[in-house]
Amino acid sequence: MPADDIDWRRPLFKVILIGEAGVGKSSLFLRIKDNVFIRGLQPTVGIESCVKALYVEDERVSLAIWDTAGVEKFKTMTRNYYRNTHAALLVYDVNNPASLQYLTKWVSDVMDFAPNALRFVLGNKCDLERNVITDSTENFRYAHNCECVLPVSAKTGEGIDNALNVVATKLMDTYKTPLFYESLYNSTVEITKHQPRQRGRPPRECCQTI
């Protein structure tokens, strides 16, 4: 979405894609941005971003999606882009158990540089046979205080709209009206948290585990 079409009075949340090279972050980003899949897409070197608008309970919400380079030698550079992050999408390859294990160091970065960001686990390539067992993803989720685990496929587009809606809904549940704008990059909005839920109120079920 062009910057001129963004309603800056509406909530704008910064969301980053992180994970090891080869898990399909850039393919996910391209699917979100242009709804296309390019076989043999080269790894991202640097940063790309786009804005995805959607509705949560009839309220228009914008997600500024940032695709960060997963190659290890560029990791120091990408740390500068954690600032003002509201949600981190931790991407692994459901066919590669090692990619889930490597997410531990990325979680550590999120906790260091964006400690207030919500964390979501995305299992990419769900259109293929899965080699990562459900217990492993659930253990990872609980160990690192992630909101939920969501299956997606950059190749087919499966699960991506659902994942973005889950992320947007969780963000709107957690945050309220923006207080001020910050003019760095695309005017990321600073959001404040709601008061804690009342005791005894059941949490909203919205996530699918893989």
Side-chain angles (χ1 to χ4, degrees):
M1 174 183 296
D4 292 342
D5 294 337
I6 299 171
D7 185 349
W8 299 110
R9 296 168 298 178
R10 300 295 184 179
L12 171 65
F13 299 103
K14 181 179 178 181
V15 179
I16 59 174
L17 289 162
I18 54 177
E20 290 296 296
V23 297
K25 299 186 307 301
S26 295
S27 292
L28 282 173
F29 174 81
L30 196 59
R31 175 64 74 178
I32 293 169
K33 179 176 178 286
D34 298 323
N35 195 28
V36 297
F37 176 77
I38 300 176
R39 190 178 299 276
L41 185 67
Q42 295 300 308
T44 299
V45 178
I47 300 292
E48 294 186 66
S49 66
C50 69
V51 175
K52 180 76 171 180
L54 60 160
Y55 286 86
V56 175
E57 296 180 352
D58 296 325
E59 182 169 3
R60 184 183 173 94
V61 179
S62 294
L63 301 180
I65 313 291
W66 294 72
D67 176 25
T68 59
V71 182
E72 184 65 32
K73 64 181 178 180
F74 297 115
K75 191 173 180 185
T76 300
M77 180 186 69
T78 64
R79 287 177 178 175
N80 296 325
Y81 294 87
Y82 282 89
R83 191 164 67 89
N84 295 329
T85 293
H86 301 107
L89 308 185
L90 299 151
V91 185
Y92 77 99
D93 177 352
V94 300
N95 298 284
N96 181 5
S99 67
L100 180 65
Q101 298 171 7
Y102 288 139
L103 277 184
T104 300
K105 63 183 180 181
W106 292 99
V107 172
S108 178
D109 279 355
V110 174
M111 295 176 68
D112 287 341
F113 300 106
N116 295 321
L118 300 182
R119 297 187 286 275
F120 300 83
V121 182
L122 266 59
N124 191 29
K125 307 182 184 180
C126 70
D127 54 292
L128 303 176
E129 182 180 356
R130 186 179 66 187
N131 293 320
V132 179
I133 61 174
T134 299
D135 285 350
S136 295
T137 57
E138 282 299 294
N139 289 340
F140 181 92
R141 171 194 171 188
Y142 286 112
H144 300 290
N145 195 28
C146 299
E147 297 294 322
C148 51
V149 183
L150 297 160
V152 294
S153 170
K155 182 177 181 179
T156 66
E158 178 184 351
I160 292 179
D161 286 344
N162 176 66
L164 294 179
N165 276 287
V166 167
V167 172
T169 300
K170 285 284 189 178
L171 285 168
M172 289 298 290
D173 281 347
T174 306
Y175 297 93
K176 61 181 181 181
T177 306
L179 291 181
F180 62 89
Y181 298 92
E182 188 169 309
S183 58
L184 187 63
Y185 306 117
N186 355 353
S187 299
T188 301
V189 177
E190 182 78 9
I191 309 291
T192 58
K193 289 188 176 182
H194 276 309
Q195 296 298 318
R197 295 180 183 273
Q198 294 181 353
R199 192 181 297 270
R201 181 181 175 184
R204 180 180 298 179
E205 295 294 333
C206 64
C207 300
Q208 178 182 356
T209 300
I210 61 173

